């Protein structure tokens, strides 16, 4: 998988629109109002499973039919050949009543077999977990969507809805069954050229996904009104585009403000590769789908084999809507330990009253610039997103005056990202501050969704948004063998920037100029430093000023810890306690200075220090810390840093009408980067 970037550099030179498929994608619907019956689904008991025309559903019940408790009956889909399928999902709406509410996963279940042999008893089945059931108190339908594991698929795949006559006897109604699949081996070579972005090791992608909702079964005109088949198609189109770009970090706006939306999209991406590298950044945003004022958000997905999130996911502002649509997240490149900050934004959309004034977007821009001054966990910064304005408009000028340069226009002055009544305009941007701009190898637009009056035949089938995607590549500086830098870092001198509070009890007291923790009732919180590579250091020390009051046992309620290999949280990492030699009197607010020498046996490549605050049920302990300083000196000649690897070239071959690329080491890949040898 490490050679995918190089592979795709070859793919973009292919003839536009070339398709190399090994199977036929499936989009099938059953038990709908228009199908008018169970057919072509079949049942092994047409007494239990019948068609209920009044509600256009499959109706399963043993009530008043003289059947013994424990009796089962099945409703089968047709057979599918999913042996070459890349991904398969099944969705349906269902309701139930009268059955035992504690036995839903027994009474009303879904099963799948990879090799159907004519009956339920003759085949080997695996149960699929139905994620959503109704209340059992009424006939309100809920929708369940299931991504089917590849291990469950084969040349004779069949799904079976199993009704079980429990105690008491229940009734199950199922309708709008939708089954969809994508094909392995290629859904596509890119229908339009990828932008030339140079040979940067890291690629970042950003795009407005145009109301990408996973809760799509509603009638609100402001939501994405599509059924499962349309949702599955849109998801497939999005993932096609994402996989073409071979990016390492993906930034999106116009997502449903739900914690599940990015998880589901990452899962769909992971079905395209063997090692499931894609992970959604957790942002804590969870807004009811029917909330009109803040039901959209921006968010991030990343490759865990290339980067990892660094620090917290921040809102630019506390404003009700924009706290979800303007987000800041830093990342660390695993190979170099170097970091960068991303700000993904969706500025105010234009309407008749805003086209000229730009007042709301000016506030968006000012809020963004001010937030980056205090919340950017790394000084190398990229600003991305749908800013809803072009160069020359005031919001863009505000960003430029703050020291940021537009990168897309730098590499292509005629670039566009959106079509306003067939007129091209660049309203989706990539800005970099001076330090980040030095690392960028290229930036451009991937015209996967728009054409602006040109021939749209090449990309029509891939339109899932009204905005094109931005792509930017860069090389963060790499440490060379033997290179080591002394560390002299200061935190908590003028703000909380760089530090992280796990539970949110630690915060920055602006008037006092210190970090503070205070909460009665048996709470624990950790204030974490940034990760540091201290593996090449011969001496490490840490000093700070602190004071406290109302504590009972100092060393337990206010303690300092270190881990050499931070794993994302205090609970998931292994820690050792460091002795704080000097505590305050606990009687007043007089600060005292203290210094700790850290044994080199306790530090490593991912060293983090944690200030652990703990209150008891009865006390109201308060701890205040400022002027934290961390110093480390190099051993001299360091070892163990990663050297730059030479680029390997691929050989392109056509075998049985399909494109493959073979690397010098003998490994062989298909058109979407899946290794086949």
């Amino acid at each position: 998988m490490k050679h995918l970037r190089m592979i795709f550099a070859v793919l973009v030179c292919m003839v536009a629109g070339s398709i190399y498929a090994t199977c036929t994608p499936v989009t099938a619907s059953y038990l709908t109002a228009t199908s008018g019956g169970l057919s072509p689904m079949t049942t092994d008991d047409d007494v239990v499973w019948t068609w209920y025309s009044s509600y256009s559903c499959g109706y399963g019940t043993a009530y008043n039919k003289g059947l013994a408790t424990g009796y089962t009956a099945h409703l089968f889909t047709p057979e599918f050949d999913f042996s070459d399928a890349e991904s398969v999902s099944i969705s349906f709406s269902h309701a139930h009543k009268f059955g035992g509410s504690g036995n839903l996963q027994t009474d009303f279940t879904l099963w799948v077999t990879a090799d159907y042999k004519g009956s339920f008893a003759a085949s080997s089945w695996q149960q699929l977990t139905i994620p959503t059931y109704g209340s059992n108190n009424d006939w309100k339908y809920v929708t369940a969507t299931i991504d089917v594991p590849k291990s469950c698929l084969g040349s004779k795949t069949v799904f079976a809805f199993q009704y079980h006559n429990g105690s008491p006897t229940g009734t199950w109604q199922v309708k709008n069954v939708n089954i969809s699949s994508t094909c392995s081996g290629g859904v596509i070579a890119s229908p339009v050229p990828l932008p030339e972005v140079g040979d940067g090791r890291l690629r970042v992608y950003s795009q407005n996904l145009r109301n990408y909702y996973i809760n799509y079964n509603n009638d609100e005109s402001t939501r994405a009104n599509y059924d499962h088949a349309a949702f599955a198609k849109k998801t497939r189109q999005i993932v096609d585009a994402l996989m073409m770009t071979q990016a390492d970090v993906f930034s999106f706006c116009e997502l449903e403000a739900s914690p599940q939306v990015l998880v589901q999209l990452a899962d769909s991406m992971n079905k395209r590769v063997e090692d499931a590298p894609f992970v959604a950044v957790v942002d804590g945003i969870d807004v009811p789908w029917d909330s009109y004022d803040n039901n959209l958000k921006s968010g991030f997905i990343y490759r865990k084999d290339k980067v990892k999130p660094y620090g917290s996911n921040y809102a630019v502002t506390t404003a009700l809507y924009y706290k979800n649509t303007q987000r800041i997240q830093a990342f660390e490149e695993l190979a170099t330990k170097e970091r960068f900050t991303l700000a993904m934004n969706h500025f105010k959309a234009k309407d008749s009253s805003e086209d000229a004034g730009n007042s709301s977007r000016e506030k968006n821009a000012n809020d963004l610039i001010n937030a980056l001054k205090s919340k950017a966990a790394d000084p190398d910064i990229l600003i991305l997103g749908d800013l809803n304005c072009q160069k020359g408009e005031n919001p863009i000028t505000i960003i430029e005056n703050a020291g940021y340069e537009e990168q897309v226009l730098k590499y292509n002055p005629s670039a566009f990202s959106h079509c306003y009544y067939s007129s091209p305009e660049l309203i989706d941007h990539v800005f970099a501050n001076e330090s980040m701009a030095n690392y960028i190898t290229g930036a451009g637009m991937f015209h996967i969704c728009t054409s602006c009056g040109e021939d749209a035949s090449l990309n029509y089938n891939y339109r899932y948004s009204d905005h094109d995607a931005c792509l930017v590549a860069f090389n963060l500086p790499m440490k060379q063998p033997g290179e080591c830098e002394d560390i002299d870092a200061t935190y908590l001198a003028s703000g909380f920037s760089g530090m992280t509070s796990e539970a949110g009890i630690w915060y920055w007291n602006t008037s006092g100029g210190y970090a503070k923790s205070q909460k009665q009732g048996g709470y624990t919180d950790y204030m974490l430093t940034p990760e540091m590579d201290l593996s090449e250091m011969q001496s490490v020390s840490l000093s700070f000023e602190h004071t406290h009051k109302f504590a009972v046992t100092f060393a337990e309620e206010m303690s300092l810890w270190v881990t050499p290999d931070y794993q994302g949280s205090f609970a998931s990492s292994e820690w050792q306690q460091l002795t704080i030699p000097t505590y305050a009197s606990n009687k007043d607010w007089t600060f005292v200075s203290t210094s700790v020498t850290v044994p080199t046996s306790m530090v490593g490549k991912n060293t983090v220090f944690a200030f652990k605050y703990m209150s008891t049920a009865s006390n109201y302990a308060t701890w205040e810390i400022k002027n934290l300083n961390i110093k480390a000196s190099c051993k001299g000649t360091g070892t163990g840093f990663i050297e730059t690897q030479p680029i390997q070239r691929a050989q392109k071959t056509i075998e049985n009408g399909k494109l493959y690329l073979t690397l010098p080491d003998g490994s062989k890949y298909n058109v979407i980067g899946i290794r086949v040898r």
Side-chain angles (χ1 to χ4, degrees):
M1 303 306 297
K2 64 184 178 181
H3 304 295
L4 292 183
R5 173 120 335 107
M6 176 277 303
I7 291 173
F8 227 84
V10 177
L11 291 182
V12 297
C13 299
M14 295 172 55
V15 177
S18 297
I19 298 176
Y20 301 91
T22 59
C23 68
T24 302
V26 169
T27 301
S29 298
Y30 308 101
L31 304 184
T32 66
T34 56
S35 64
L38 292 181
S39 179
M41 298 184 74
T42 58
T43 178
D44 54 13
D45 192 321
D46 56 11
V47 173
V48 173
W49 280 105
T50 58
W51 176 251
Y52 195 169
S53 58
S54 298
Y55 292 97
S56 300
C57 66
Y59 187 81
T61 186
Y63 177 70
N64 211 21
K65 295 180 179 179
L67 299 173
T69 300
Y71 184 84
T72 59
H74 305 90
L75 183 63
F76 302 102
T77 67
E79 290 183 28
F80 297 93
D81 184 355
F82 286 147
S83 55
D84 288 320
E86 197 165 75
S87 64
V88 175
S89 66
I90 181 170
S91 170
F92 57 93
S93 297
H94 66 134
H96 64 88
K97 201 172 182 182
F98 308 121
S101 60
N103 301 315
L104 298 179
Q105 291 286 358
T106 300
D107 293 351
F108 313 125
T109 54
L110 177 64
W111 300 74
V112 64
T113 180
D115 187 20
Y116 185 61
K117 297 185 181 300
S119 68
F120 195 90
S123 309
S124 296
W125 298 82
Q126 298 182 64
Q127 185 174 355
L128 298 173
T129 299
I130 298 175
T132 309
Y133 285 87
S135 66
N136 204 44
N137 295 322
D138 52 36
W139 291 116
K140 183 177 180 180
Y141 279 87
V142 296
T143 299
T145 301
I146 301 167
D147 292 324
V148 185
K150 283 189 176 182
S151 59
C152 298
L153 305 173
S155 59
K156 296 183 177 181
T157 300
V158 169
F159 298 93
F161 292 87
Q162 177 177 282
Y163 170 85
H164 176 267
N165 185 23
S167 179
T169 296
T171 299
W172 194 17
Q173 296 179 0
V174 180
K175 65 180 179 180
N176 297 331
V177 177
N178 293 282
I179 299 170
S180 62
S181 73
T182 61
C183 292
S184 61
V187 181
I188 38 165
S190 177
V192 291
L194 283 168
E196 174 54 52
V197 294
D199 59 354
R201 287 191 314 276
L202 292 180
R203 288 188 176 191
V204 173
Y205 165 108
S206 70
Q207 190 175 22
N208 179 324
L209 293 186
R210 195 179 189 182
N211 291 328
Y212 184 64
Y213 282 84
I214 59 173
N215 291 302
Y216 47 81
N217 286 335
N218 63 80
D219 298 321
E220 304 298 337
S221 61
T222 57
R223 310 301 190 277
N225 285 323
Y226 40 67
D227 57 16
H228 174 77
F231 171 74
K233 177 182 179 181
K234 180 166 182 169
T235 300
R236 183 174 67 250
Q237 291 171 324
I238 292 171
V239 174
D240 282 348
L242 302 184
M243 302 308 289
M244 290 175 206
T245 64
Q246 293 300 304
D248 305 299
V249 179
F250 302 86
S251 307
F252 308 102
C253 63
E254 282 207 24
L255 301 164
E256 179 183 344
S258 158
Q260 290 82 33
V261 62
L262 284 172
V263 172
Q264 180 160 324
L265 187 56
D267 287 345
S268 297
M269 297 168 68
N270 282 327
K271 288 181 172 62
R272 303 291 186 93
V273 292
E274 296 173 351
D275 50 356
F278 300 105
V279 182
V281 171
V282 177
D283 53 30
I285 298 173
D286 189 3
V287 178
W289 66 265
D290 56 353
S291 176
Y292 287 88
D293 47 14
N294 60 345
N295 56 21
L296 288 173
K297 74 171 184 178
S298 298
F300 306 90
I301 290 175
Y302 65 96
R303 285 191 66 115
K304 66 182 181 181
D305 56 340
K306 297 295 291 296
V307 299
K308 66 178 180 179
Y310 174 72
S312 300
N313 185 275
Y314 289 105
V316 162
T317 174
T318 58
L320 186 61
Y321 182 79
Y322 298 104
K323 69 179 182 180
N324 293 336
T325 65
Q326 292 187 259
R327 307 296 297 188
I328 298 175
Q329 177 66 60
F331 292 89
E332 178 179 293
E333 184 182 19
L334 300 183
T336 65
K337 301 296 182 184
E338 292 294 327
R339 298 160 184 147
F340 58 98
T341 298
L342 294 186
M344 184 61 182
N345 299 268
H346 190 194
F347 282 11
K348 170 70 171 64
K350 288 190 177 182
D351 55 41
S352 58
S353 64
E354 282 285 322
D355 284 346
N358 270 329
S359 59
S360 295
R361 285 176 291 284
E362 289 173 11
K363 186 177 188 313
N364 292 148
N366 282 316
D367 287 346
L368 173 61
I369 297 304
N370 290 333
L372 287 171
K373 291 177 181 177
S374 61
K375 293 184 176 180
D378 188 88
D380 301 322
I381 300 172
L382 284 176
I383 294 175
L384 310 170
D386 175 8
L387 306 188
N388 272 309
C389 45
Q390 302 185 73
K391 185 176 176 64
E393 296 187 67
N394 287 348
I396 300 299
T397 302
I398 290 171
I399 296 173
E400 291 175 329
N401 288 344
Y404 294 85
E405 180 185 16
E406 219 293 337
Q407 298 298 303
V408 174
L409 292 175
K410 177 180 179 179
Y411 289 92
N412 181 4
S414 61
F416 67 90
S417 65
H418 182 263
C419 300
Y420 186 71
Y421 292 101
S422 297
S423 177
E425 58 181 11
L426 185 72
I427 60 175
D428 302 84
H429 297 274
V430 177
F431 281 92
N433 65 349
E434 183 177 1
S435 62
M436 189 67 184
N438 291 331
Y439 306 141
I440 291 177
T441 61
M445 301 307 305
F446 183 28
H447 295 300
I448 191 69
C449 290
T450 68
S451 60
C452 288
E454 299 173 2
D455 180 9
S457 61
L458 294 180
N459 66 346
Y460 180 79
N461 290 328
Y462 303 98
R463 289 183 182 175
Y464 50 85
S465 175
D466 55 345
H467 292 253
D468 281 326
C470 301
L471 194 64
V472 57
F474 49 91
N475 287 314
L476 296 174
M478 294 191 77
K479 292 179 180 177
Q480 297 302 314
E483 183 181 347
C484 177
E485 295 180 1
D486 291 346
I487 292 175
D488 187 352
T490 299
Y491 306 94
L492 306 181
S494 59
F496 205 73
S497 179
M499 306 293 285
T500 303
S501 174
E502 279 204 346
I505 297 174
W506 281 102
Y507 71 98
W508 181 251
N509 185 298
T510 303
S511 60
Y514 47 72
K516 182 175 182 177
S517 57
Q518 182 186 57
K519 195 173 181 69
Q520 185 178 13
Y523 290 91
T524 300
D525 190 18
Y526 306 94
M527 180 170 62
L528 307 174
T529 67
E531 294 179 43
M532 290 166 276
D533 184 355
L534 304 181
S535 57
E536 296 296 322
M537 301 299 171
Q538 64 180 357
S539 65
V540 178
S541 64
L542 178 149
S543 64
F544 56 94
E545 297 175 52
H546 69 136
T547 187
H548 57 86
K549 204 172 182 182
F550 312 122
V552 178
T553 54
F554 302 162
E556 292 182 10
E557 296 172 63
M558 297 167 289
S559 55
L560 176 62
W561 301 74
V562 64
T563 179
D565 187 21
Y566 182 63
Q567 297 296 317
S569 69
F570 195 92
S572 61
S573 309
E574 295 185 5
W575 298 82
Q576 299 178 66
Q577 187 172 358
L578 297 169
T579 300
I580 298 177
T582 309
Y583 283 89
S585 66
N586 205 45
K587 297 179 181 179
D588 54 36
W589 296 114
T590 301
F591 279 85
V592 297
S593 298
T594 190
S595 180
V596 180
T597 299
V598 185
T600 54
S601 60
M602 294 185 179
V603 299
K605 287 190 174 182
N606 297 299
T607 301
V608 168
F609 297 95
F611 291 88
K612 179 182 179 182
Y613 165 80
M614 183 176 65
S615 66
T616 67
S618 59
N619 75 351
Y620 208 89
T622 302
W623 196 12
E624 299 172 354
I625 300 175
K626 65 182 180 180
N627 296 329
L628 169 63
N629 181 252
I630 301 172
K631 291 185 177 181
S633 300
C634 296
K635 294 177 180 177
T637 303
T639 58
F641 292 103
I642 298 174
E643 296 187 51
T644 303
Q645 297 296 319
I647 297 175
Q648 296 192 57
R649 302 296 177 187
Q651 297 296 318
K652 182 173 66 173
T653 59
I654 302 293
E655 301 175 21
N656 298 321
K658 302 171 189 175
L659 174 69
Y660 295 96
L661 297 120
T662 303
L663 301 181
D665 63 5
S667 59
K668 181 177 177 183
Y669 296 82
N670 64 22
V671 293
I672 60 168
I674 295 178
R675 184 169 179 169
V676 297
R677 184 178 67 198

